[in-house]
Amino acid sequence: MMENHIFKALADPTRRTIFEKLASADGMNASALRDGMTISQPAMSQHLAVLRDAKLVQEERQGRFVQYRINPEGLDMIVQWVARYSIFWPERVNALRQTLKEMDQ
Amino acid sequence: MMENHIFKALADPTRRTIFEKLASADGMNASALRDGMTISQPAMSQHLAVLRDAKLVQEERQGRFVQYRINPEGLDMIVQWVARYSIFWPERVNALRQTLKEMDQ
DNA sequence: CAAACACATAAGCACACACTTATGTGTTTA
DNA sequence: TAAACACATAAGTGTGTGCTTATGTGTTTG
């Protein structure tokens, strides 16, 4: 909800890594998220709390595990913010045409 | 340049306000940026330095003033990052296609 | 039901960060 | 050329942040 919370949550590289990992899977629990990363259990838990407070991820308890997944709408506010300041600039139009062209292929 | 620098630069609400102000104008000097904001001269200078290091703004000395303006490519890396993870991005892309189409007429 | 497990929370610590006041640097003006 | 001006930089300070260790909470398993 609060724009600032989302920006702050994304400002930490470890949290972005967690977010990216979640995005590449279809939901993971905190332990699964940890492996491959050098991060303690409390640190992971605290990072997930920040992401959850920013509504960037959702949690769902499943037995003694907690399944985390991306909140599809979580980035909406950032998308809108970034779009305001990156897309609608005349000097960028040609670059954008090229980008869209590449997306078509 | 460095993805992390950009995210960190945008994580501060005062810096986002400065960035937004610059985007709405066509270049402003540091003093012009200050008015309307409750911020000291050194604080403004330091914020501008962070934005400049993140390559989000460009500076150009003009006499004893320094003209600041948005770097149009500054947000590119964030745009790409966000586009990867937001389901709302396709809507933005479609809107953009439409805009470009209208520009062709 | 006791132990093991998955995770959250509390408290403390080191460092980063955003601000302040003071001063430095470069340019213009009177 | 001295003063005024626009801005940068230095140094110090309070607060925020990300980590650690320790412990708490809830669930499953033997």
Side-chain angles (χ1 to χ4, degrees):
Chain A
M1 190 57 187
M2 179 111 260
E3 184 182 87
N4 198 42
H5 281 25
I6 308 180
F7 272 111
K8 287 224 184 284
L10 293 177
D12 182 77
T14 304
R15 268 189 309 264
R16 285 200 305 280
T17 300
I18 294 170
F19 186 88
E20 289 164 6
K21 258 190 136 176
L22 276 178
S24 70
D26 200 55
M28 296 174 83
N29 57 54
S31 297
L33 275 168
R34 280 184 66 203
D35 46 56
M37 301 184 65
T38 308
I39 185 174
S40 69
Q41 180 268 316
M44 174 60 78
S45 185
Q46 286 158 17
H47 279 308
L48 286 168
V50 173
L51 290 171
R52 182 173 44 76
D53 289 349
K55 304 212 192 304
L56 286 169
V57 304
Q58 300 165 331
E59 65 176 64
E60 180 190 357
R61 186 160 258 273
Q62 287 180 358
R64 57 183 169 176
F65 294 84
V66 175
Q67 200 68 358
Y68 283 92
R69 68 188 72 250
I70 296 281
N71 171 21
E73 302 173 4
L75 282 178
D76 190 28
M77 208 156 283
I78 305 301
V79 165
Q80 289 176 33
W81 192 92
V82 161
R84 260 202 303 281
Y85 300 115
S86 68
I87 273 191
F88 302 102
W89 287 353
E91 58 265 53
R92 299 235 56 215
V93 165
N94 285 336
L96 287 169
R97 283 186 201 278
Q98 186 59 31
T99 300
L100 291 175
K101 207 171 166 185
E102 284 163 4
M103 287 177 69
D104 283 338
Q105 295 165 2
Chain B
M1 188 66 178
M2 179 114 255
E3 184 182 89
N4 198 43
H5 282 26
I6 309 179
F7 272 112
K8 288 225 185 281
L10 294 177
D12 183 78
T14 303
R15 273 194 301 268
R16 284 200 305 280
T17 299
I18 295 171
F19 186 88
E20 290 164 6
K21 257 189 139 177
L22 276 178
S24 69
D26 202 53
M28 297 174 83
N29 57 54
S31 297
L33 275 168
R34 279 184 67 203
D35 45 56
M37 301 184 64
T38 309
I39 184 173
S40 69
Q41 180 269 316
M44 174 60 79
S45 185
Q46 288 158 15
H47 279 308
L48 286 169
V50 172
L51 290 171
R52 181 173 43 76
D53 290 348
K55 303 212 191 306
L56 285 168
V57 304
Q58 299 166 332
E59 64 176 64
E60 180 189 357
R61 185 160 261 273
Q62 287 181 357
R64 57 181 168 178
F65 294 84
V66 176
Q67 200 69 355
Y68 283 92
R69 68 189 72 251
I70 295 281
N71 172 21
E73 301 172 2
L75 283 177
D76 274 7
M77 207 157 284
I78 304 300
V79 166
Q80 289 173 30
W81 191 93
V82 160
R84 268 201 297 280
Y85 301 115
S86 172
I87 61 164
F88 288 97
W89 197 255
E91 296 175 14
R92 296 282 153 192
V93 171
N94 286 336
L96 179 57
R97 284 185 201 278
Q98 187 59 32
T99 301
L100 291 175
K101 206 170 166 184
E102 284 161 5
M103 288 175 67
D104 282 337
Q105 295 164 4

